[in-house]
Amino acid sequence: MAKAKTVFFCKECGYESAKWMGQCPGCKEWNTFVEEPAERKAAAGRGPGISARMGATGRPGRVKPARLEEISVEENDRIGTGFGELDRVLGSGIVGGSLVLVGGDPGIGKSTLLLQVCRNLAQSGKKVLYISGEESLKQIKLRAARIGQVTGELSFLCETNLDVIQEVLEEEKPDVAVIDSIQTMFREEISSAPGSVSQVRESTNLLMQIAKSQGIAVFIVGHVTKEGMVAGPRVLEHMVDTVLYFEGDRSDTYRILRAVKNRFGSTNEIGVFEMEEKGLQEVQNPSEFLLSGRPEDASGAAVACLMEGTRPILVEVQALVTATSFGMPRRTAAGTDYNRVNLLMAVLEKRCRYEMSRYDAYVNIAGGMRMNEPALDLAIIMSLVSSLKDRAIDPKTVIFGEVGLSGEVRGVSMAEQRVNEAVKLGFETCILPQICLDRLKRTEGIRLIGVRNVREAIDTLR
Ligand code: TYD
Ligand code: MG
C-alpha cells in the first residue's frame, strides 16, 4: 500500500519541510513542527491572476500595467469604526477591501470588540456580516444584549465552511465582514483539520481574494496561545494588510490594542480600552487611568512621560531597593527591559558611586503596561535612587530623558508634547534633558528643570 504523503509545517511561522526537524530554520523556534497531509497541487488552470484579485480592471488574461494617475481612489474610503481608539490604531479608520487580523489570548475580548464595532458600523448605515465559527446564534444574541441595542443592517451567520462563506459574501456583498475565528474555518479541498497550518493559510488566502475582489473589509480573529494551539496567527502575519494584537492581563479590566503591522498607517499607535459590564469602553486619557490610585509620598516612585506613537502617556515607575542577603543581588524588571535596568544600575554604580551591587532591586511599571522607550531611563534611575535613599520624589514631578553609559542625560524626541501632557494632568515640575529644555518653546504653567547628567538629576532629590 502506498504511504500517504505528508509534509511538516512549523506551527509558528509556517515553514514547510519534507522531514521533521527539531529546530525551525525559519524562525529558530524549537519543537514546532507538525505533520500534515500533503496538499494536492493547485488545481489545473491559472485561476484569477493577481491583478484581477487585487481589483484591477481589464479582461483576464490581458494584463496591463497602470500609471498612478490612472488609478482612481475615492476620497473618503476610510470607514470610521465608532471607536476613536481603534480608528487611530488602524490609521484613521477601516480601509475598504482590507484584511485585518485581530490576535490575542482567548477570553481577552476580541469577539466583544468586533461585535461592538459591527454594531457601531451598522448604526452608521453600513452593511455588516458577522460570521462566527465558535459561538451559536443564541450565544451571540446574549452577548449582543449586553453591549446594547443593535440597529441597522447587521446580520449573523454560524458557519465554518469557507466555501459556503464565500458564496454568502459574494451574494450579500457587505461593507464589512468579521470572521471569528480563523482557527475554526476550513476549506473542503484541504484534507487537514481546521486550525492546522495549511487550513489556516489557505483559508486566509481565500479571504484575501474575496476581500480584494469584492471590496469587503474583512476582520479575522486569531487566537494566540503558547501551547496547545495548532497554528499560530504568525503564519498569517505576512498575508494580511494589518495585524492588531489585543493584549492585557485577563484579571485586570483594561486592554491595549496594538498594531504590529499596518499597510495603511503607523504601527506605533495603541488604543486603550476597559472591559466593563456592558462591553468594552474606550479610555481616552490613559495617563489618568494609569496614574490613578498612586500612593503619594512613597519613596521609589517616579512618574515618567513616554510616547506611544503620537500620544504621550504618563506611567508610574516603581523601584524597591533592599540590601541583598546573598552574594548575588537579585534584580527583576516587570514591564520594561531587564537588561536596560541592569545597565542603568551599572551607570549608577560607576558614575555616582552608589554601591548597587550590595542591593537587590525590583523595578516595575505600574499598571501592567510594557514600555521600552529610552526616555524611561531617567525615571528608572530616579526611582532607584529614591528607594535607595528612602527619600520620596515630589509626587507632582514628571521625569523623562535617555541616559547614556557615561551618565549623561541625552535628549529625546517630542519634548513639547510630553511637557504639555504633564501640564494637562496638573503636574508642577518636570525634570528633562537640558538640550530639550533649550529647544522648548513653552515654559509657562510648569517648572522645568533641565539636567545634563545623572548627578544633576539626583541632586534635585534633596
Ligand atoms: P470574548 O470577547 O469572548 O473574548 P475572545 O473572543 O477574545 O475569546 O471576551 C470574553 C470576556 O469578556 C469574558 O471573560 C467576559 C468578558 N465580558 C465582560 O466583562 N463584559 C461584557 O460585556 C462582555 C460581552 C464580556
Ligand atoms: Mg471569541
Side-chain angles (χ1 to χ4, degrees), residues 108 247-255:
I108 204 80
E247 4 174 283
D249 198 354
R250 233 190 309 169
S251 55
D252 230 326
T253 58
Y254 73 91
R255 309 276 186 264

Side-chain angles (χ1 to χ4, degrees), residues 185-201:
M185 298 295 154
F186 73 96
R187 295 190 65 182
E188 272 165 7
E189 54 201 59
I190 313 261
S191 44
S192 49
S196 61
V197 179
S198 43
Q199 276 291 5
V200 166
R201 204 164 52 183

Side-chain angles (χ1 to χ4, degrees), residues 9 32 106 178 180 190 198 206-207 210 228-229 247 259 262 294 301 311 319 365 371 396 408 415 427 460:
F9 286 105
T32 56
V178 173
D180 187 7
I190 313 261
S198 43
L206 181 65
L207 287 168
I210 301 171
M229 210 212 42
E247 4 174 283
N262 195 350
R294 187 161 58 103
R311 181 161 60 161
I365 309 292
M371 296 285 185
K396 293 247 172 270
E408 81 276 20
F427 282 82
T460 62

Side-chain angles (χ1 to χ4, degrees), residues 212-414:
K212 303 289 173 202
S213 60
Q214 310 280 320
I216 304 171
V218 179
F219 282 89
I220 299 177
V221 173
H223 296 295
V224 220
T225 51
K226 281 188 205 82
E227 278 299 321
M229 210 212 42
V230 201
R234 276 170 60 187
V235 178
L236 321 173
E237 275 179 12
H238 64 277
M239 297 167 76
V240 300
D241 296 311
T242 303
V243 181
L244 307 180
Y245 273 99
F246 209 32
E247 4 174 283
D249 198 354
R250 233 190 309 169
S251 55
D252 230 326
T253 58
Y254 73 91
R255 309 276 186 264
I256 295 162
L257 192 67
R258 201 183 284 278
V260 292
K261 166 182 175 179
N262 195 350
R263 287 192 180 139
F264 313 111
S266 152
T267 52
N268 295 325
E269 302 290 354
I270 64 164
V272 184
F273 292 88
E274 192 176 2
M275 183 61 97
E276 287 177 3
E277 216 23 63
K278 290 193 171 115
L280 290 155
Q281 304 295 323
E282 296 178 84
V283 178
Q284 259 136 7
N285 198 334
S287 303
E288 242 165 53
F289 189 72
L290 286 170
L291 292 180
S292 60
R294 187 161 58 103
E296 306 247 314
D297 289 326
S299 71
V303 177
C305 189
L306 305 175
M307 300 300 294
E308 276 286 354
T310 53
R311 181 161 60 161
I313 291 187
L314 297 182
V315 292
E316 185 190 356
V317 183
Q318 300 176 326
L320 185 65
V321 178
T322 55
T324 182
S325 33
F326 303 103
M328 261 282 275
R330 255 180 80 81
R331 272 98 204 255
T332 65
T336 186
D337 184 14
Y338 172 76
N339 291 321
R340 192 83 200 162
V341 171
N342 275 338
L343 183 149
L344 293 172
M345 295 188 70
V347 169
L348 277 177
E349 175 117 31
K350 183 85 178 172
R351 308 290 168 197
C352 306
R353 308 265 168 236
Y354 289 113
E355 287 184 76
M356 294 314 249
S357 51
R358 284 184 22 220
Y359 295 94
D360 292 343
Y362 308 92
V363 174
N364 176 32
I365 309 292
M369 279 256 198
R370 267 208 78 76
M371 296 285 185
N372 278 327
E373 219 208 314
L376 186 62
D377 292 353
L378 194 57
I380 294 179
I381 291 252
M382 293 289 281
S383 62
L384 285 167
V385 175
S386 158
S387 178
L388 180 70
K389 296 185 164 188
D390 203 12
R391 200 170 294 155
I393 301 170
D394 169 36
K396 293 247 172 270
T397 302
V398 164
I399 303 164
F400 64 88
E402 182 180 349
V403 174
L405 287 187
S406 46
E408 81 276 20
V409 174
R410 313 171 74 109
V412 293
S413 58
M414 301 199 249

Side-chain angles (χ1 to χ4, degrees), residues 105-112 130 132 134-135 143 180-181 221 223:
D105 295 336
I108 204 80
K110 301 180 293 296
S111 307
T112 309
Y130 185 102
S132 179
E134 297 198 332
E135 288 164 293
R143 188 198 298 271
D180 187 7
S181 64
V221 173
H223 296 295

